[in-house]
Amino acid sequence: MYGKLHSACLYGIDGVVIEVEVDLANGIPQTHIVGLPDSAVREAVDRVRAAIKNCGYRFPLQRVTINLAPADLRKEGAAFDLAIALALLTASDQVRLPADERILIIGELSLDGQLRSVPGVLSMVDRARREGFHSVLLPRENAKEALLLGGIRVYGISHLNELNPGGDGSKREESDMSCHPRQGEGQPLLLATLKHLEVESGASSSTSAALVPPLDYSDVVGQRHIKRALTIAAAGFHNIVLIGPPGTGKTMLIQRLPSILPPLSPEESLEVTKIYSSAGKLNHHGHGLISVRPFRSPHHTISSGGLIGGGSIPKPGEVSLAHHGVLFLDELPEFSRQVLEVLRQPLEERKVTISRSRAAFTFPAHFLLGGSLNPCPCGFFGSEPPLPACSCTPWRIAQYREKLSGPLLDRIDMQVEVPRPQQWQEDTQPLSSADMRKQVLSAERIQRQRYKGLSISRNSELSGSLLKRFAPLEPDAAKLLQAGFESLGLSLRACDRIIKLARTIADLNGQEQIRAEHIAEAIQYRQLDQLTTH
């Protein structure tokens, strides 16, 4: 006797459809799972056996072989439990699935037949929808998440007994465990009784999930020059680091950056939601597609694997959880140099590739890097009265700054010095997030129109021939950049980033050609190229 159903697992942040095959043969009763299962999948045998028994069905007392295909793909997690259970019941003719409906089956079983939620459902259902599946059967807790996509019928259940005729959860009468079922004895699987869940849950599919508290730049006293720099960073998605003594508001300024970023597009919203779903974090933020840009601020004790992702079967790290949003690293030199250096690839390529012996996993990582740092360990290097004088030796200052390598700093477009505020009272006319966001949205519309039909959407993504095509310099601007290249000892990468920054400044000013004043403003945002320890 043979049965085959379809389930799914995660491969990176993408779903992969898995065939669950069951073969029942005569012989000594034993059960084997093949197809590169991990320990959680191998343990499914014990969970499924107990669940089947406690729901009034019988577990076949035969030689049972369960194959998860494709066999060369590593399988992990407990999402196969329900599919394995139903494949066993189908092969032993205890239930019958609708023959005219391709069904994806996902869910973890408890020993009494309860269904538990699993991570990554959004990615799995998206894959099934694109491969032509008609419906998906999964835990009720995951139903709302699956309904976000549309185009596929969703059946959510809380207990294996809900699939009994009538769907009332009552147990079937115990049968003789040693006898085999007769042909035609199987009961139909009444999915029609579960269709009402689709109507009930559909209303909540548009609910937004907020990842950041409502913060506003009107709370920040003064610092208009820094607010201008942050407006430029948000408009072109440029990486930015704020430098200054303690208490100048560096952290406060970066934390409000999401309040001026443009909203997520529908495609970006789905992509971000899939990442959080695969990481098992979607339920922490309510139901519905994530509609606001993520803001991630990991502690400086984070490991390289925690930052970029890792594990025997890699999971997304903080750079991927910040995809299409902000990754804030407070007090950059407090992070280990090894951790900071792993940011080079995602900052340049906007993705992370993690290789393992059997496969390579690629995670999206297009984020805006925001950082803060003090000019020296004590924080007062270069300060003037009434601030305390710096007590650090040149060696300590050099050692402190060596945490940030030249190649890493080259990838940070804006390095802005934050001065001590000259007043502590509120501004009479503070620059609010709404004012700044209006400018950002205007520049974003210009970029969207300029790069329509191309693989890029923001000025920070320009490179190679596209940079020459869309960021032409006036003669005076080219001369000024050449002078800065020679006097500051800039790298070619730094020059390219200055040009991209000037492109965004010109867009904010509503000008197509990049002028000398745009280059001049872009150069002044390269403070770490000008900072010395003498």
Side-chain angles (χ1 to χ4, degrees), residues 211-420:
L211 300 184
V212 292
L215 301 174
D216 198 282
Y217 276 110
S218 60
D219 303 329
V220 181
V221 175
Q223 304 291 23
R224 286 184 173 261
H225 171 66
I226 311 303
K227 290 181 180 180
R228 164 70 174 174
L230 290 165
T231 301
I232 297 169
F237 227 64
H238 299 286
N239 302 318
I240 183 170
V241 167
L242 301 184
I243 314 147
T248 54
K250 303 185 295 296
T251 301
M252 188 179 185
L253 286 158
I254 295 290
Q255 285 177 337
R256 282 154 176 75
L257 192 53
S259 67
I260 62 173
L261 290 172
L264 288 169
S265 66
E267 296 79 12
E268 291 174 337
S269 181
L270 177 59
E271 195 170 9
V272 171
T273 308
K274 285 172 65 175
I275 293 172
Y276 275 78
S277 174
S278 64
K281 297 181 180 293
L282 186 60
N283 289 336
H284 297 177
H285 307 291
H287 297 290
L289 288 177
I290 295 173
S291 62
V292 296
R293 295 189 180 271
F295 182 87
R296 305 293 299 182
S297 181
H299 193 262
H300 64 261
T301 57
I302 191 172
S303 65
S304 299
L307 191 62
I308 68 166
S312 57
I313 298 181
K315 297 294 185 184
E318 289 293 334
V319 295
S320 296
L321 294 173
H323 186 55
H324 292 313
V326 178
L327 176 66
F328 177 39
L329 302 183
D330 200 8
E331 299 297 340
L332 271 172
E334 298 301 326
F335 290 79
S336 72
R337 177 159 180 159
Q338 180 184 0
V339 169
L340 293 177
E341 290 304 303
V342 301
L343 287 172
R344 289 194 195 181
Q345 183 202 11
L347 286 175
E348 196 72 28
E349 301 180 8
R350 295 178 289 278
K351 63 183 180 181
V352 171
T353 301
I354 302 174
S355 298
R356 293 292 181 263
S357 58
R358 292 187 176 274
F361 299 81
T362 299
F363 299 98
H366 189 186
F367 57 90
L368 191 163
L369 176 63
S372 69
L373 69 149
N374 295 326
C376 67
C378 77
F380 297 105
F381 174 77
S383 61
E384 299 178 354
L387 292 177
C390 177
S391 60
C392 301
T393 63
W395 179 83
R396 284 191 66 201
I397 296 174
Q399 187 181 42
Y400 182 75
R401 293 184 183 170
E402 280 177 359
K403 291 283 191 74
L404 305 178
S405 65
L408 179 61
L409 291 177
D410 269 353
R411 290 168 168 80
I412 298 175
D413 303 1
M414 308 178 72
Q415 308 148 9
V416 187
E417 192 168 1
V418 183
R420 176 175 175 266

Side-chain angles (χ1 to χ4, degrees), residues 6 155 158 174 231 270 295 364 436 464 496 508 529:
H6 292 89
Y155 305 113
S158 300
E174 297 287 342
T231 301
L270 177 59
F295 182 87
M436 299 165 66
D496 283 352
L508 285 168
D529 294 326

Side-chain angles (χ1 to χ4, degrees), residues 78-79 82 105-109 115-126 136-149 152-158 197 201 204-205 273 276-278 280-284 286-288:
L82 183 59
I105 302 173
I106 306 167
E108 176 185 349
L109 280 171
L115 266 292
R116 295 192 174 108
S117 62
V118 295
V121 162
L122 195 66
S123 299
M124 299 178 196
V125 175
D126 184 46
V136 56
L137 177 66
L138 40 63
R140 194 184 301 268
E141 293 179 28
N142 291 125
K144 290 183 179 180
E145 183 179 340
L147 284 167
L148 297 176
L149 294 169
I152 187 169
R153 289 188 292 274
V154 177
Y155 305 113
I157 61 174
S158 300
L197 290 176
S201 300
S204 63
S205 63
T273 308
Y276 275 78
S277 174
S278 64
K281 297 181 180 293
L282 186 60
N283 289 336
H284 297 177
H287 297 290

